Amino acid sequence: MKQRDLKYSCLIAVLYFGMNVNAQVTPKKDSVTKEQKIEEVIVVGYGTQKKENVTGSIGVISSKDLADRPNSNALSSVQGKAAGVQIFNSGTPGGSPRVDIRGIGSMTGSTVYIVDGSITTDISYLNPQDIESMSILKDPSSLAIYGAQAGNGAVIIKTKTGKGKKPTFNVNSYLGIKTVTNIPKMVNGDQYIELYNEKLINDSKTPPLPTDFITKAQYPGNTDWYKEILRPSSISSNDFSASGSVGKLSYYGSVGYLQDEGNLDANKGINSGSNFKRFTTKANLSYKITDNITIGDNFTFSKILTNIASNPLLNAYIAPPVYGPINPSTGNYQYFTLANITNPRAQLDLFRSQNRQQRMLNNVWGEVKFLQDFTFRISLTNDNLNSSLYEYTPVMTYVPKPGNSTLVTRDSRNRDYVWDNTLNWKKKFGSHNLDVLAGFSRTQNYYSQAYWKASNVNYDGTNGSLQISNGNEIFGVDVYNPDYNVIPYLSRIQSFFGRVNYDYKGKYLINASIRRDGSSNFNVNRNEIFPSVSAGWVVSKENFMSNQNIFDLLKLRGSWGRTGNPNVQYGAYQLSATAIKEGAYYGSTGSPAQTISQFIDTTIGWEITTGKDFGVEMAFLKNKLKFEATYFDKDTKDVVYGIVQGTVSGASNYNNYITNAFSFRNKGLELSVNYDAKLSEKVRLGVYGNFTSLKNEITSVFGGSYQNAGASLFGNQIVRLEAGQAVGSYYGYQVAGVFQTDAEASASAQGTSGAKAGWFKFVDQDGNGIIDERDKTFLGSPVPKGTYGFGFNMNISNIDFGIDFQGVFGNKIYNYNREQRYGNESWDLDFYNNRWHGAGTSNAYPMVTNNQSVILPSSFYVEDGSYFRIRNIQIGYTFPKGFSKWPNFNKVRIYLSAQNPWTSFKYHGFSPEITSTDRVSMGVDNNIYPMSAIYTMGTSITF
C-alpha cells in the first residue's frame, strides 16, 4: 500500500470560490411518486427506445456522472461506472483513455463514438459539460446496426439541447491541484556506489584493482531525479452555457476553457512543458417550421494546444544519482560518464514539441413527419481537423560532442463526413407495437500530411523562429512514405440498413436488424453483411405475476449478432519496391533495378465479430432497487496482424507477415445493482455497484504460427501471441529461485552457460538438462480476470456527499523499466534492500549484475497488476433559496473533490494502471506517464 503524504499548503492552494452548474431544481414533495411513473428512455442506434423494451445490453451514463470531475475527456469519468466497460486512463495532460468493451476484439481497431450523428474515434475535442447522456452499446444486437463501425464497440453521445421556454444560464468552474502519487523510491548516491562496486566484483573474471572502484570523493552527487523533474501542478476549467427556446426555436450554446499544466517540471530551459489547453464552443439549434417539419444544426468548434515534453521518467529511473543536473565546473547540463543515459533534467528542458489543433464539426439535419406514422430524417456531418506539430531538438550541451539542432514539422489534415438518411415507421395495432427503420449511410475519411525537416535552426524563444526555411539540409515529403510515417489515406464506407422492433403488450419483445457495408479498404470482398436478432420476455407483466409483491420488473433477454472491422493496418497489402544499389547486369551492361523484398498478402479482408449474450433484469421495492446480470460470449475471427512465416525464403518480413492471422474469444459475466430512494423529506440515498469477469483467449493463429512482439532487450521480445493464450501474454523464463552457491549453479542446467551463485535459477521446462529458448514459457496476461466499481451518494438537507471505488484483479504487469540494464543504470530501493549478496540473503532477487544470461525476460519482472482505488470523493453544499439578493438564482452549490486520492497495490512502480493504445503491449510499463491525485474546489450556479 502506497500513498504520498499530502501537504496542507497544496490543499489550501485550491480553496477558491469557482463555479460549476447543474441545472436541476429541488424536487417537489411528490417527486418520488412521479419518478416511479416516468418511463426511462435511452438512446439507441438511429433512435430512442424505452428501457423496459430494450432487448440488448446497453450501459447508460448520465450527465450527473460526468459533472464536476476534473477530466478533460468525459470517458475518464466513466471508469468504474459501467459493467463490461474497462477504462484505462492516461496521466498525460489531455490524453485520451483507452476503452475496451467486453474484452479485446482487435489489435488495431478502436471503439467508435457517435456524437450527434458524427462518427469518430476521438472525443478529446468535446467538453464533458456539454454531454447529456452516453449509451454504451455492448451486445451484438445493439451494435450490429452500425455494422463495420462497431467491431470494437460503440458509444452514442447525446449533447444537451434547449429545454423550457425561459432561458436558463449555467456557469461551471473549478480549480485543482495535481500531485503525482506513489513515486518509486530509488537508491541514493552512497547506495549506488555500493551497488556499482559490488557489481564490479560480481561481473569480473579476475579481482578488480582498487583503482577500478568508484568513491564518494569522485562522485559526490546525490540527486533524486524524480524530485528534479516532477512537481505539483494546477488544473482549471471554466464553462458558460445558455439554453431555452424562443417561439419555435430551441437553443443550447456554451463556451468553455480548460487548462492542465502537467506534472513535468519544465521551463528551466527552452521546453514549454507538458501542459494542455482547450477552448470549446458549441451551439445546438432546432427550429420547428411546422408541426411536421423540424430542422436543426449541431455545431462544435475547438482549439487545442498541447506542449509535448520529451518524457524523461525512464531516464529518471535509471540515471545514476551520483551526478547533478548541472556541471558545477562549466554551468552546462551534466553529462554522464558512467552510463550512456540522457540527463533527465536536460532531456526535459531542451526538447521542445508542440501540437496545435483546430477542429470543427457541423451536423445539419432535417426531420419530416408524414402520413401520421412515418418520419424521414436526413443528416449531414462534416468533421474537419487541422493539426500542426513541430519537434525541435537544439544543440546538445550535455554530451562531449554536441550535434546540430533539428526541426521537424508535420501539418496534417482530416476531412471526414457522414451522410445518414433514415425512414421510420411506428404503428400500433391494438396490443401490437411495430417500429420499422430503413436507412442509407455514407462515410468518408480523408487524411493527408506534409512532413518537413531541417537542421541548424536557431530558436530565439518564439515559435516564429521555428521555421523550416530558417535552417539548411531541408527535406520534405507529402506522399506515401512509411519511412517518415507519412501515410495519407482515403477510405469510404457505404451502407444500407434496416431494423424491426416488435412487442406484444410490452411483454414479448423482438428486435432484428441487418446492415450491408461496403468498404474501400480492401482489394477483394469489399462488401459484408451484419445481421442481428434479439428477444425479450417481460415476465412481470404476465397474469400469473399479477398477485406477487416482489418484482416490479422481471425481464429475460437474449441476443445474437455480427459486426465487423474494416480498419486494418493501412498499407498491409501494398506492394513496395526497393532499389538495388548495384543494379541488374545483362552481360557487361548495367541497368537500374528494383526488387520486391517483402511477402505481401493482397487478399486481406474483414475482421468479423460474432457474439451472443443472455441477461436478466429485475426491479424491487417500487423500482428503487434494480439488478441486472448478463452472460456474454463473442468471437472475433480473421484479426489482421503479423505472424512468423519462417519458411518464406528471402523475404525481409518473414517474422512479420501481415494477414488475417488471429481469432479471439472473449466471454464473461456482468453484474450491476442500483438503489435510489428518498428515505425522508430531507434525506436521499443512492448506491451502485458493478462487477465484470472476463476470459480472453487467442483461439487460433493462421498456419499454427505465432508472433513475438512488444519491447525487446538483447533481441528477446517479451510478448508472444499464440493460440491458447490471452492477448499480450508475457513470454520468458520461469524463475525457481536464486543459486546460493557456485557448486549448485555449476551442477544445474545453466552450468554450461557459466552460472554462479546469485544468478536466477530458471526452470528446465523440457527437462533436457539445457536452458535455452525451448524453456521459455508463458508468464501471465495483462488482461484482468475481473473489474469492479461501486459507490454511494447521499443528500442530507443541503449537504451532499459521494464516493466512488474502482479496481481490477487477476492481471499482470511487465516491469520493463526494471529490466532495462545495459551498463551502469541505477537501481530502485526495493532491489537494493532485497538483492542477493551472499548465501542465504535472498532467494527471490538476483545479485547485482549486467550479465545478459541473467537479464532475460523472466517471471521476476512480471508483477501483480491488481489494485483497489478510491476513484472520487466529493462533498458539496447547496445554498438555500433566498440566501442571495439575486432572486433569479435557482441553485448555487460549492463543492470539494478528490480524484485518485488513494490506491492500494503491490506493483513496484508509479501505478498499476498502464495505458497504451497498443493492445499487444498494454501491460508493459515502459516510460509510462504517471497518474495523479487531483484535489479541486468549485461552485455550481444556475440562474
Side-chain angles (χ1 to χ4, degrees), residues 446-449 478-482 485-490 570:
Y446 172 73
Y447 171 81
S448 64
Q449 183 187 115
D478 59 3
V479 295
Y480 180 79
N481 193 321
N485 196 31
V486 178
I487 308 176
Y489 66 83
L490 173 65
Y570 186 83

Side-chain angles (χ1 to χ4, degrees), residues 735-741 744 756-761 836 842-847:
V735 174
V738 175
F739 294 120
Q740 299 300 314
T741 65
E744 180 190 7
K756 60 182 181 179
W759 281 28
F760 281 132
K761 188 189 302 181
W836 186 96
S842 178
N843 194 40
Y845 286 58
M847 68 180 185

Side-chain angles (χ1 to χ4, degrees), residues 663-681:
S663 294
F664 301 154
R665 188 179 187 186
N666 295 274
K667 60 181 180 179
L669 178 68
E670 298 173 359
L671 303 173
S672 64
V673 62
N674 290 274
Y675 177 79
D676 185 23
K678 190 170 185 179
L679 304 182
S680 69
E681 189 64 31

